[in-house]
Amino acid sequence: MTAVASLHHPLLSKGTRLFLRRSPLPLAPDRLWQIESGVVRTLAWLDDESLVTLGLWGPGDWVGAPLSNVAHHHAECLTDVKVRSVPIGQWAPNPLDLLRRSQRTEELLAIRSYRRVEMMLLKLLDWLGQHFGRNTQNGREIDLRLTHQDFADLLGATRVTITRAFGQLERQGLVTRSLHRIVLCPDRTWHYEI
């Protein structure tokens, strides 16, 4: 792989671009991106210099500056991403796309509202498994290569707190981890109690 953040390929349709994992997705006030493959995180830097994740988006979802009123709004590719650029004047969203965006935003807001970080993390892992995971014989596998800092940014916690919470969930047999994969153990996550 090259260090180039955006790749142009001769077989891509007009307006379609590839971006490498962890590269920024440029946001313009007059354009939107529709994700064709991969996962994009929208985020913002707050006035106190803290980072907040606004959402995680996958195939079929729309991202772009016109969809947010939050200052210092950015987008980052969590995986290699293929997106299609659409001028805002030509955007004709399906109402179901907007409904799904609203629902996902509310789901993440609810997850961040749990009082215990372990419960927030478990609910977030379940949410990631539903939206971006796949079933395996060992459980629901999430292969997004998220760091503990990424989870901390998603949940408004510290990296150290997330590391401890992962340790607790692993000791209880609720999740297993190897390399960059996390597997939710299916029979146990629904009976979790702190």
Side-chain angles (χ1 to χ4, degrees):
M1 280 228 199
T2 67
V4 178
S6 173
L7 302 175
H8 294 282
H9 192 279
L11 298 178
L12 293 176
S13 61
K14 186 177 180 182
T16 301
R17 292 178 60 190
L18 297 175
F19 290 87
L20 298 178
R21 179 182 181 275
R22 293 297 178 179
S23 63
L25 185 65
L27 301 180
D30 61 343
R31 300 192 78 75
L32 293 171
W33 296 104
Q34 184 174 33
I35 301 168
E36 293 184 5
S37 65
V39 179
V40 173
R41 169 173 76 154
T42 52
L43 55 129
W45 289 99
L46 303 180
D47 292 338
D48 66 359
E49 297 184 11
S50 58
L51 178 83
V52 62
T53 296
L54 302 173
L56 295 179
W57 314 103
D61 291 328
W62 293 89
V63 294
L67 294 173
S68 178
N69 281 332
V70 177
H72 312 294
H73 180 249
H74 302 278
E76 174 189 28
C77 301
L78 290 181
T79 64
D80 289 351
V81 171
K82 181 179 174 185
V83 290
R84 181 175 59 92
S85 177
V86 176
I88 191 68
Q90 295 176 13
W91 184 46
N94 178 331
L96 294 177
D97 291 340
L98 298 176
L99 181 62
R100 182 176 63 213
R101 184 177 181 83
S102 175
Q103 290 170 339
R104 281 196 180 174
T105 301
E106 285 184 356
E107 290 166 353
L108 282 176
L109 180 62
I111 289 168
R112 286 189 64 157
S113 297
Y114 281 92
R115 296 188 196 285
R116 300 289 306 256
V117 173
E118 295 85 357
M119 185 58 83
M120 274 195 282
L121 181 58
L122 188 61
K123 293 291 186 180
L124 177 62
L125 291 170
D126 182 51
W127 186 87
L128 290 170
Q130 289 175 35
H131 295 290
F132 306 107
R134 65 182 182 90
N135 287 325
T136 67
Q137 67 183 28
N138 298 323
R140 191 88 174 145
E141 182 180 277
I142 305 162
D143 187 16
L144 289 180
R145 296 176 64 185
L146 296 173
T147 66
H148 285 195
Q149 187 61 56
D150 292 331
F151 283 103
D153 294 340
L154 274 160
L155 297 175
T158 67
R159 185 193 53 76
V160 172
T161 301
I162 293 299
T163 299
R164 282 192 206 123
F166 261 118
Q168 182 175 345
L169 296 178
E170 284 181 296
R171 282 190 299 278
Q172 293 177 340
L174 300 171
V175 299
T176 59
R177 292 185 294 168
S178 63
L179 294 174
H180 299 289
R181 291 177 178 85
I182 299 169
V183 177
L184 293 167
C185 303
D187 297 336
R188 299 181 185 188
T189 54
W190 302 111
H191 305 292
Y192 179 69
E193 291 183 27
I194 297 180

